[in-house]
Amino acid sequence: MDAPIGSEVHKRLFCRMLLDTHDPYKAAEIAWPVLPQDALARLHSLPFWDLAVETEGQAAARITALAQVEHDPLLREAIALQAFEESRHQCVIEAMLRHYDIPWHKEPATDVIADPEWEFLRMGYGECFDSFFAFGLFHFASTSGFFPAELVQAFEPIMQEEARHIVFFVNWAAYSQAQRAWWRRPPFAVRRLAALAVQARARLQMGRSAGSQNFTYAGQDTLSVALTPRLFLKTCLAENDRRLSVYDYQLLRPKIVPSLVRLAVSLWPRQ
Ligand SMILES: [Fe+2]
Ligand SMILES: [Fe+2]
């Protein structure tokens, strides 16, 4: 490998990946299409808008906090860019809700971020879970005619941004671990594992509580195509591979969720 994990070359590679693939679109300039009545009703009925706005806002605040304590200029620039993109996601969703007159509730931001590294770890693993399933759902939303293509297209940059974010995150985590003195690596590895466990547990709980407000699972309930679990998981895998394959092969990719899902698909009875 030309870019050993933890090396200066590796750092440049994953930071430049994020910085150089930034899409400078402006949320305020998105031309929202005129929606037919049925599509508008479907958009109104989706249960996750409050959570989507809140999640993106929290992500922006937490990542900003990490950028503020990062000493390395290149890492700081890349992390700050991710924070900007998360806050732009929030602006895009809010602009759409405003345009289509969909009410949403926004909690005032009261987060005190005492430990930005822990928050970034937690959020990063959360994004690895959510993005994987969101890629599959987005594919079904685009191909099922559930929404007009122009509306789906407006969210395409957000989907690809989440793909960039999770590639950046897993490389940042591996780099941060390798950069530490040998005796500081085990505590960091434990933190990574704890953050992963917290997010896995949260998603298992959300998956169990039917009708919850979770973005990924609630979204699946509202799709109009007949989805078997196996087809859904296979589509998530294919979309995940497609979206992540465009970045430098030397960069790490999230492995845990795709590996678990690959295992589940191989064990799932065929219908
Ligand atoms: Fe986001
Ligand atoms: Fe993100």
Side-chain angles (χ1 to χ4, degrees):
M1 189 182 182
D2 304 318
I5 302 302
S7 67
E8 200 52 32
V9 182
H10 177 227
K11 182 185 81 183
R12 268 195 75 74
L13 201 62
F14 70 82
C15 289
R16 294 285 12 141
M17 178 279 297
L18 199 74
L19 294 165
D20 296 344
T21 57
H22 173 66
D23 180 344
Y25 69 89
K26 291 192 168 57
E29 290 174 2
I30 295 174
W32 299 104
V34 176
L35 294 182
Q37 213 45 47
D38 57 338
L40 196 58
R42 279 199 288 270
L43 200 62
H44 273 260
S45 72
L46 290 175
F48 48 64
W49 296 126
D50 290 356
L51 181 70
V53 170
E54 188 188 327
T55 305
E56 300 292 359
Q58 277 178 351
R62 288 168 185 174
I63 304 170
T64 300
L66 184 68
Q68 285 166 349
V69 296
E70 175 57 63
H71 296 298
D72 182 282
L74 185 59
L75 280 171
R76 186 169 58 239
E77 188 185 355
I79 294 167
L81 179 73
Q82 187 183 342
F84 167 77
E85 290 179 355
E86 298 297 2
S87 97
R88 188 171 57 177
H89 294 172
Q90 185 183 13
C91 293
V92 170
I93 297 169
E94 288 180 334
M96 185 202 68
L97 296 174
R98 226 174 282 122
H99 183 85
Y100 295 116
D101 212 10
I102 299 170
W104 79 99
H105 175 72
K106 188 173 170 185
E107 289 287 333
T110 52
D111 272 7
V112 178
I113 300 153
D115 185 348
E117 182 189 82
W118 167 248
E119 293 299 338
F120 191 62
L121 279 171
R122 239 165 42 100
M123 208 207 67
Y125 285 116
E127 278 205 326
C128 288
F129 280 102
D130 293 343
S131 299
F132 179 85
F133 294 108
F135 295 157
L137 284 169
F138 189 77
H139 174 83
F140 284 110
S142 341
T143 54
S144 66
F146 187 65
F147 288 122
E150 306 94 295
L151 182 62
V152 174
Q153 222 33 51
F155 284 92
E156 171 56 33
I158 292 187
M159 280 293 125
Q160 200 54 36
E161 272 159 10
E162 297 301 6
R164 289 161 58 250
H165 294 173
I166 59 177
V167 171
F168 179 81
F169 170 72
V170 292
N171 282 278
W172 170 87
Y175 172 85
S176 300
Q177 182 154 330
Q179 271 288 303
R180 285 167 155 72
W182 66 267
W183 54 273
R184 289 182 58 220
R185 286 179 201 160
F188 188 70
V190 170
R191 281 202 123 188
R192 289 173 67 183
L193 210 61
L196 176 67
V198 164
Q199 295 294 22
R201 188 162 173 264
R203 271 137 196 88
L204 282 173
Q205 281 171 346
M206 282 190 277
R208 271 196 219 113
S209 57
S212 74
Q213 291 283 300
N214 173 256
F215 186 89
T216 306
Y217 293 94
Q220 188 183 347
D221 291 344
T222 47
L223 283 181
S224 61
V225 286
L227 269 185
T228 63
R230 193 165 189 276
L231 173 63
F232 174 63
L233 294 178
K234 282 182 76 170
T235 304
C236 291
L237 278 170
E239 283 298 293
N240 183 67
D241 289 349
R242 181 179 73 78
R243 288 190 180 275
L244 302 193
S245 68
V246 294
Y247 304 112
D248 193 301
Y249 73 97
Q250 296 173 92
L251 291 170
L252 299 172
R253 267 73 174 164
K255 283 201 197 84
I256 296 167
V257 181
S259 305
L260 288 174
V261 169
R262 227 168 251 124
L263 180 69
V265 166
S266 69
L267 298 174
W268 210 285
R270 283 161 202 272
Q271 283 129 341

